[in-house]
Amino acid sequence: MELFKTPNIDFLSKRRIFLAISGFLVLLSILLLFIKGPKYGIDFLGGTLLHIHTDRDIKTSDLRNALSEIKLARAEIQEITLREHIIKYYENIEADSLVKFLNKKLKLNIEIERAEKVGPRVGFELRLRAIYAVLIGMVLMLIYIAFRFNLPFGVSSIIALFHDVMITLGVFVLFSREITVPVIAAFLTIVGYSINDSIVISDRIRENLKKRQGKFIDIANRSLNETLSRTIITGGTTLLVLIVLLFLGGPLLFDFALALLIGIIVGTYSSIFIVAALVVEYEEIKMKRMRRR
């Protein structure tokens, strides 16, 4: 299916503007990481997540007042419905004991839908493993792209991957969204999705370099136009599914869907405006050096 029959958009003439915008957003994300810092979830800090269902409506303020009596005033309470809540706390209190207390205090009948407890040590190890997983994934992608194409394409693709993950992470830090294991899974999915799109465009550039004569920038522009329909359709259909998941998936899937939604948008943008632009910059620097000799 062709969304655009014969597109002829000059993507690369304004490449330095897009590279500057991307560089600014990545720098801003890094500054946010150091100044504000990510908000880690219980998965990485250690604590208890308790998903409860009550037999009658209960306000969040009533739950908080009850929890403050047992020194759980810092607990995070997320209201799903008036009869369904998620309580997150970091104190060493068993979930069963807490539910018994709330039943007695609020005269409720509470059912535990889900209870997860993570120790601080396990949380720290999970945080390290998550960082290793993302870094190892990017290094393996670099090796694969460098082997399949060449090193400039490989390095450009990895810079684009770093760009996609950092901007998504920066949005999460900016809006104080929790970094949890599902969000890390979303980051790894973004890495896989973005590299797939970059491979399609890089493959078309390689094919056109064999078939056509001319400047590298013109061939790269032609290749971006030829793959534009595929890029937009793939990204658009994926976004439709993610929007449905975002609004209907409930609070437990919200952050996962949000990370993927941001990552797919940024990944589609970087596939079109960043990867080929970086390779063009490399080729121009190489040509200038050859002329000087």
Side-chain angles (χ1 to χ4, degrees):
M1 180 180 174
E2 290 292 326
L3 196 62
F4 308 103
K5 286 191 176 178
T6 52
N8 187 24
I9 303 168
D10 189 0
F11 293 103
L12 295 171
S13 65
K14 307 291 183 190
R15 64 187 181 281
R16 286 176 186 166
I17 294 174
F18 291 111
L19 288 174
I21 292 170
S22 291
F24 172 75
L25 291 176
V26 170
L27 183 62
L28 187 63
S29 299
I30 292 171
L31 287 175
L32 279 170
L33 267 178
F34 281 103
I35 295 169
K36 190 175 180 184
K39 182 184 177 186
Y40 291 110
I42 281 175
D43 302 345
F44 298 114
L45 289 178
T48 303
L49 183 150
L50 187 60
H51 184 179
I52 59 171
H53 192 276
T54 56
D55 62 341
R56 64 175 173 82
D57 293 353
I58 182 79
K59 293 179 181 174
T60 303
S61 57
D62 293 335
L63 271 175
R64 185 168 298 289
N65 289 336
L67 291 173
S68 63
E69 290 185 20
I70 51 172
K71 298 180 180 177
L72 287 182
R74 288 193 313 132
E76 295 175 30
I77 304 171
Q78 189 177 355
E79 182 182 284
I80 301 173
T81 66
L82 284 173
R83 295 192 179 193
E84 198 174 355
H85 295 79
I86 292 175
I87 302 171
K88 298 176 186 175
Y89 59 95
Y90 303 97
E91 289 75 4
N92 187 22
I93 297 176
E94 292 297 326
D96 289 338
S97 304
L98 179 60
V99 168
K100 282 180 185 174
F101 167 77
L102 290 174
N103 277 334
K104 188 176 177 182
K105 179 70 184 175
L106 299 171
K107 296 182 174 54
L108 292 169
N109 184 16
I110 297 176
E111 287 182 14
I112 299 177
E113 297 282 344
R114 186 164 66 109
E116 293 177 10
K117 186 173 183 179
V118 180
R121 183 184 176 85
V122 175
F124 177 73
E125 288 177 0
L126 273 174
R127 201 173 355 172
L128 277 181
R129 286 181 187 180
I131 293 169
Y132 290 152
V134 174
L135 290 178
I136 291 170
M138 292 176 75
V139 170
L140 289 176
M141 293 294 179
L142 172 63
I143 295 169
Y144 171 71
I145 298 291
F147 177 75
R148 180 165 173 180
F149 298 98
N150 57 37
L151 194 58
F153 274 108
V155 173
S156 301
S157 300
I158 293 305
I159 291 172
L161 288 184
F162 179 75
H163 160 278
D164 301 344
V165 173
M166 279 309 301
I167 291 177
T168 308
L169 183 58
V171 174
F172 264 64
V173 174
L174 181 64
F175 293 103
S176 299
R177 304 300 308 180
E178 282 191 351
I179 307 296
T180 58
V181 169
V183 171
I184 297 299
F187 286 165
L188 289 170
T189 308
I190 292 167
V191 169
Y193 180 90
S194 296
I195 203 70
N196 184 50
D197 225 18
S198 299
I199 286 172
V200 170
I201 293 170
S202 301
D203 209 29
R204 184 60 61 94
I205 293 173
R206 185 177 62 172
E207 285 176 12
N208 284 337
L209 282 171
K210 291 177 184 173
K211 291 190 290 187
R212 301 179 182 188
Q213 298 291 323
K215 291 181 180 178
F216 180 84
I217 187 171
D218 295 333
I219 293 173
N221 238 331
R222 185 69 255 152
S223 305
L224 284 169
N225 279 283
E226 287 175 359
T227 53
L228 184 61
S229 288
R230 184 260 177 210
T231 302
I232 299 295
I233 289 170
T234 305
T237 49
T238 310
L239 284 178
L240 287 177
V241 175
L242 289 172
I243 289 169
V244 173
L245 188 63
L246 189 72
F247 290 105
L248 301 180
L252 294 177
L253 288 176
F254 184 85
D255 283 343
F256 174 76
L258 180 64
L260 280 179
L261 188 78
I262 298 166
I264 298 301
I265 292 171
V266 179
T268 303
Y269 159 79
S270 70
S271 298
I272 298 171
F273 293 101
I274 302 300
V275 178
L278 288 171
V279 181
V280 167
E281 285 297 318
Y282 168 81
E283 290 293 331
E284 290 202 347
I285 291 169
K286 192 171 80 173
M287 289 299 294
K288 282 179 184 174
R289 286 181 180 171
M290 287 174 68
R291 285 192 205 109
R292 285 176 194 161
R293 291 174 190 169

